[in-house]
Amino acid sequence: MGEKITRPAKSADLRRARLLKDALQRGSPPALRHPQDPSLADRSTAPTNGTADHLEVQRAYLDQLVEDAPEAISILEKGFRITRINAEFTRMFGFTTEDALGERIDSLIVPPDRSAETRWIRETLENGQKINLETKRRRKDGTLVDVSISGAPIRVSGTQASVYVLYRDITEQKRAEALSSALYRIAQRTSTAEDLQQFYAAIHNIVGELMYARNFYIALYDSDSELLSFPYFVDEQDPTPAPKKLGRGLTEYVLRTGEPLLATPSVFEELVQRGEAELIGAYSLDWMGVPLKIGNNSFGVLVVQSYTDSVRFGERDKEILVFVSQQLASAIDHKRNQEALRRSEARYRSLVQSAVYGIYRSSLDGKFLDLNPALIAMLGFDSAEEVLALDPKKDVFLQPEEQARLMDEFRRSGRLDSIEVRWKRKDGAAITVRLSGRAVTSVEEPDEVLEIIAEDVTERRVL
């Protein structure tokens, strides 16, 4: 068993091989010509079988060309039935010569949902035109392969005798294109998704285009709380786990080692025996997880898993998931920072809005840009819009020169420390206000602005 079986050589095959060898040794292979070519007529001294020899050499060259071609080749005759395939056709689709000869090409390798495409190909070739397209074809085992197809009619004496079709496997090209598209869309989603849940769902859909991802989850570790949480979890067997301390599950193993893991049943069993992992949740046939890392720090794990024999993961899938995880880790880190910034801003605004002291932001010429309710009440107005419309120099400072003194102090020291000034309220009443603040800049406002706390000390001055 396993021995190579050699087919007995036919005399014609031996003759063709010998003639081909002789021609190659001469270094001048004959041109492919028809036996009635007039240029052969003056060879009256040649043996009678000279024309036959030339035909044998031509046939040997063509046979070798077809058989050794890097593309899968099929020759089709009437009814688009196969009369010849080459070795690459067998390797690509799994059909031997015995399987294919006499079969219709569409019933052999064309998926059922491509019938309209098949009709177009047939009509185009029958009209004497060439075809070029990228599509899918079916292997003997039922799986699909991405192929680039080129085909053209073969004419003999002006009449269409048959058709040749070439197939080139473009699976790797399509994978690269899909991966590139996926990474681009992940980057795009990073800036467009409104919240993390929406973002995680979009990532799930993108990964699902690259591989089987019916069971998919993202786990994130918070070093402050020392909890492992599962912000996105879709699974056929298990419910979403509650946040937990680190244990000995496969998720924690990947988080601990910082390395991708394809846990087939044998790999999982080995990890269990070594005490590196234990079963948590439903038993999956294949479990595949990759770390989410920023630098050398693993802060989460991206996981897909399968519960069925019909879906098995391989090293190629792991490589793809690693590529996705690198982009995803950066995106998650960016989104988490955005969320943290939003929460911080919300807390800051809450503090400002509820403060008993007046707080405001102004330009360097003193114009109000933003203010809190306490400052509105301090000045006796009913709304922020009324105060923002004021000219502070004329409408707020009791003595306009005090505003100039305020700006001089800021330019001298870069801040304001308990500077007292006199303001006037909406009703004209004067109040004494103590001001403290500093200049700040931001991405949104590259020019310096003042952030100032205003405390009404009028009653203290009376005492």
Side-chain angles (χ1 to χ4, degrees), residues 176-303:
E177 290 173 357
L179 184 58
S180 177
S181 172
L183 298 182
Y184 172 77
R185 283 182 290 152
I186 289 173
Q188 194 176 40
R189 287 287 184 177
T190 303
S191 58
T192 58
E194 295 182 0
D195 57 49
L196 279 173
Q197 278 302 309
Q198 183 187 60
F199 176 65
Y200 294 148
I203 299 303
H204 184 189
N205 289 334
I206 292 171
V207 173
E209 296 174 11
L210 301 173
M211 66 182 68
Y212 179 88
R214 186 169 295 175
N215 305 288
F216 173 96
Y217 68 84
I218 296 171
L220 300 177
Y221 179 66
D222 182 4
S223 57
D224 293 333
S225 64
E226 297 184 341
L227 290 177
L228 182 68
S229 62
F230 301 84
Y232 189 84
F233 193 95
V234 176
D235 194 87
E236 296 172 301
Q237 302 288 335
D238 291 326
T240 303
K244 63 173 186 173
K245 295 289 185 180
L246 295 180
R248 307 300 289 180
L250 290 175
T251 304
E252 291 94 322
Y253 177 83
V254 172
L255 191 65
R256 191 166 60 249
T257 62
E259 295 295 332
L261 173 68
L262 173 54
T264 60
S266 60
V267 170
F268 177 68
E269 184 60 32
E270 182 182 346
L271 290 173
V272 171
Q273 290 177 358
R274 296 200 325 242
E276 296 277 6
E278 61 184 25
L279 180 62
I280 297 176
Y283 179 81
S284 57
L285 189 61
D286 278 350
W287 185 99
M288 187 165 63
V290 296
L292 299 171
K293 303 170 74 173
I294 296 296
N296 293 322
N297 176 47
S298 297
F299 66 88
V301 182
L302 174 65
V303 177

Side-chain angles (χ1 to χ4, degrees), residues 12 42 45 96 120 135 138 148 188 205 218 255 265 274 288 313 319 329 376 381 384 404 406 427:
D42 61 349
T45 59
T96 64
W120 172 79
T135 183
R138 182 182 58 204
S148 171
Q188 194 176 40
N205 289 334
I218 296 171
L255 191 65
R274 296 200 325 242
M288 187 165 63
F313 297 118
E319 291 173 7
I376 298 171
F381 288 89
L406 201 68
D427 59 8

